[in-house]
Amino acid sequence: MSMFNNVPNIAYEGKQSKNPYAFKHYNPKEIVFGKTMEEHLRFSIAYWHTFVGAGTDPFGAAVAIRSWDSLSPLDKAKARVEAIFEAMEKLNLQFYCFHDADIAPEGATLAETNKNLDVIVAMLKDYMKSSGKRLLWNTVNLFTNPRYVHGAGTTCNADVFAYSAATIKKGLEVGKELGADNYVFWGGREGYESLLNTDMGLELDNLARLLRMAVDYAKEIGFDAQFLIEPKPKEPMKQQYDFDSATTISFLQKYDLTQYFKLNIEANHATLAGHTFEHELRLARLNGMLGSIDANQGDLLLGWDTDEFPTDLYTTTLAMYEVLKNGGLGRGGINFDAKVRRSSFEDEDLFFAHIAGIDTYARGLKSAAKLIEDRILDDYVDNRYRSFREGVGAEIVLGKSTLKSLEAYALQNNPIKLESGRLEQIKARLNEAIFSV
Ligand code: XUL
Ligand code: CO
């Protein structure tokens, strides 16, 4: 049975194509920078936005009514499995990812919830086997249910902490059963509203305790996925503990957890934190912690987490530049953590949105490869810092200088000669690289 009758299989047709159901830039088997595009990009569908999201906003009810919406909860969950595999097939995507709550309805008790999960996980496993599709990552939803009102790992209520731990235990078992490449921790409610009633020290210690338990249990059951933490500065909490890459890395360092985790960097979370996406990626990369990407973009006029499908070539170019400099994403991938706009409520829009996002990243990959191959940015940067490769600069870098030796140098080095940073010239060359591919 087809859920998306009007949608054909989507294939690469090249730049000249006017077919709305075709990729203009994403050619999965084309080699770019030593690997196929498919190997570089490892695109994934996000279950929640694509198959669960209904276009609600704080002022408006659901507008995107899908064919499965009238079914009973468990039948709906089964129909969604069919829909997601059909969509992956039509879009030629290898990966998907989900929260536990996206795939199966929550029961009245933890045991009932786990039973519902088992039914759908068995079905997913069959579909994965026959289609060859893979799970990029799974995670558990520790934020929607009212029990998480004070947090999950950082709650003031030990019973809720225990429930969260049990939910993560099941999530790890599900990940193992489905052979997930990664397992994500996004702390939706791990933050606080006000310091006035918050024991911040205990909350942070408890969060680290929960992560440590997860590391131990994964080891115990032989689940070898890469663990990822997804930073976000606000929404739903006013203050989120995993604010951005820097905050998350320092948290992991403090609790001696860095070796077990990498970061899943989301574009719109970066801009919410007052950073560019490429800043967050660069910081993760420099710390050896760039693991995966949640691809979307925000709207600077709105300023909240709008999760739009990525269409901005500058951002995807600079993001893929970081990915290529990182030597790839390893077991990670590019997950479209993105929603169609509320006004794009027809089923077909799900496909147009993915085609736009996929082509924007494919072009980003090609222009990033050009930036590196032609040494466009590297030459500027090398030249700009050349004073640290000779004379006094080389001595500083080698750790041979002292305040005294540098004072002696500075006293006789007069005047200091400065040079332009050439930013406008560099931006013009970036434009050329982007529009040449
Ligand atoms: C929320 C968000 C989540 C995580 C997974 O902003 O990005 O969907 O990606 O929990
Ligand atoms: Co995300």
Side-chain angles (χ1 to χ4, degrees):
M1 186 179 84
S2 169
M3 302 276 180
F4 305 110
N5 280 316
N6 299 333
V7 178
N9 285 341
I10 293 145
Y12 173 70
E13 290 187 1
K15 265 190 197 182
Q16 313 316 325
S17 171
K18 298 275 180 283
N19 177 2
Y21 285 114
F23 297 121
K24 321 294 183 298
H25 295 275
Y26 180 56
N27 186 9
K29 301 291 177 211
E30 183 181 328
I31 306 276
V32 178
F33 208 73
K35 278 197 293 197
T36 64
M37 293 180 99
E38 186 176 50
E39 284 164 337
H40 278 291
L41 297 161
R42 291 167 60 88
F43 287 127
S44 163
I45 275 187
Y47 214 111
W48 53 105
H49 289 319
T50 306
F51 299 96
V52 183
T56 53
D57 72 14
F59 303 94
V63 283
I65 309 300
R66 308 293 178 203
S67 61
W68 51 83
D69 280 335
S70 56
L71 302 173
S72 68
L74 205 58
D75 284 342
K76 196 190 308 197
K78 290 179 183 167
R80 280 188 180 126
V81 174
E82 288 182 42
I84 195 166
F85 280 84
E86 185 181 335
M88 278 193 280
E89 199 58 49
K90 290 195 158 155
L91 284 162
N92 193 12
L93 299 186
Q94 273 309 105
F95 294 95
Y96 72 112
C97 52
F98 61 77
H99 302 85
D100 54 352
D102 308 324
I103 62 165
E106 187 157 354
T109 62
L110 179 60
E112 218 178 90
T113 301
N114 288 348
K115 232 170 82 193
N116 289 345
L117 276 170
D118 289 341
V119 172
I120 302 299
V121 167
M123 185 173 173
L124 287 168
K125 201 173 174 182
D126 280 350
Y127 273 67
M128 287 170 76
K129 206 167 157 203
S130 54
S131 64
K133 303 295 179 197
R134 291 163 62 190
L135 186 58
L136 182 66
W137 51 261
N138 68 309
T139 183
V140 292
N141 177 330
L142 301 179
F143 43 90
T144 301
N145 190 290
R147 82 176 67 84
Y148 303 116
V149 65
H150 299 301
T154 59
T155 174
C156 51
N157 183 318
D159 289 347
V160 174
F161 185 98
Y163 198 102
S164 309
T167 305
I168 291 175
K169 175 177 176 287
K170 182 69 179 174
L172 297 174
E173 290 160 4
V174 165
K176 180 177 165 156
E177 180 69 12
L178 297 178
D181 273 3
N182 304 271
Y183 184 89
V184 166
F185 296 84
W186 170 60
R189 298 278 168 199
E190 316 298 18
Y192 64 86
E193 203 61 45
S194 167
L195 275 182
L196 297 176
N197 63 356
T198 299
D199 185 343
M200 192 184 199
L202 178 68
E203 291 200 357
L204 286 167
D205 288 351
N206 279 350
L207 184 56
R209 287 184 182 108
L210 190 59
L211 294 176
R212 172 75 59 182
M213 287 178 209
V215 167
D216 290 345
Y217 188 66
K219 202 165 159 202
E220 190 181 323
I221 63 171
F223 178 36
D224 72 344
Q226 171 65 60
F227 276 10
L228 300 169
I229 296 198
E230 185 175 320
K232 184 174 183 179
K234 51 191 163 199
E235 289 186 40
M237 307 306 284
K238 191 157 76 179
Q239 282 285 347
Q240 301 254 167
Y241 288 131
D242 297 326
F243 189 95
D244 58 2
S245 291
T247 316
T248 307
I249 292 168
S250 86
F251 168 84
L252 291 169
Q253 280 168 348
K254 176 177 176 199
Y255 293 100
D256 208 13
L257 285 165
T258 38
Q259 60 181 301
Y260 308 111
F261 290 87
K262 286 191 173 171
L263 303 185
N264 183 41
I265 305 291
E266 178 163 330
N268 203 166
H269 295 181
T271 47
L272 280 178
H275 303 307
T276 60
F277 185 27
E278 56 272 23
H279 166 92
E280 288 293 87
L281 294 166
R282 175 79 57 99
L283 208 65
R285 167 165 83 79
L286 291 181
N287 284 277
M289 295 189 74
L290 175 50
S292 205
I293 282 180
D294 267 14
N296 58 22
Q297 68 190 24
D299 185 324
L300 297 179
L301 298 183
L302 291 174
W304 67 80
D305 195 13
T306 55
D307 286 333
E308 293 172 22
F309 272 84
T311 51
D312 185 286
L313 290 175
Y314 288 91
T315 306
T316 58
T317 298
L318 296 177
M320 287 313 298
Y321 182 81
E322 296 304 323
V323 170
L324 293 182
K325 287 275 183 180
N326 194 53
L329 287 171
R331 299 180 76 181
I334 295 175
N335 162 48
F336 289 106
D337 197 352
K339 298 184 267 222
V340 285
R341 296 304 84 201
R342 182 172 155 81
S343 51
S344 305
F345 51 80
E346 295 177 16
D347 286 359
E348 289 83 342
D349 291 306
L350 293 175
F351 292 85
F352 297 137
H354 280 88
I355 293 168
I358 287 168
D359 268 343
T360 306
Y361 261 89
R363 273 192 79 167
L365 166 64
K366 287 191 273 185
S367 28
K370 186 164 177 54
L371 284 179
I372 296 177
E373 279 161 355
D374 295 356
R375 293 192 50 83
I376 296 177
L377 303 182
D378 282 334
D379 279 349
Y380 280 107
V381 173
D382 277 2
N383 184 51
R384 188 157 181 247
Y385 291 88
R386 71 184 187 283
S387 68
F388 283 95
R389 292 197 298 275
E390 62 208 22
V392 71
E395 282 177 15
I396 293 170
V397 169
L398 290 169
K400 288 183 179 165
S401 311
T402 63
L403 291 185
K404 265 205 246 166
S405 72
L406 293 176
E407 181 197 44
Y409 177 83
L411 282 170
Q412 52 77 39
N413 184 41
N414 193 25
I416 293 173
K417 188 173 171 289
L418 291 172
E419 289 175 8
S420 161
R422 297 274 186 269
L423 210 43
E424 295 77 6
Q425 192 186 68
I426 297 171
K427 286 187 177 178
R429 298 212 45 206
L430 175 60
N431 277 350
E432 282 163 28
I434 289 175
F435 292 102
S436 69
V437 299

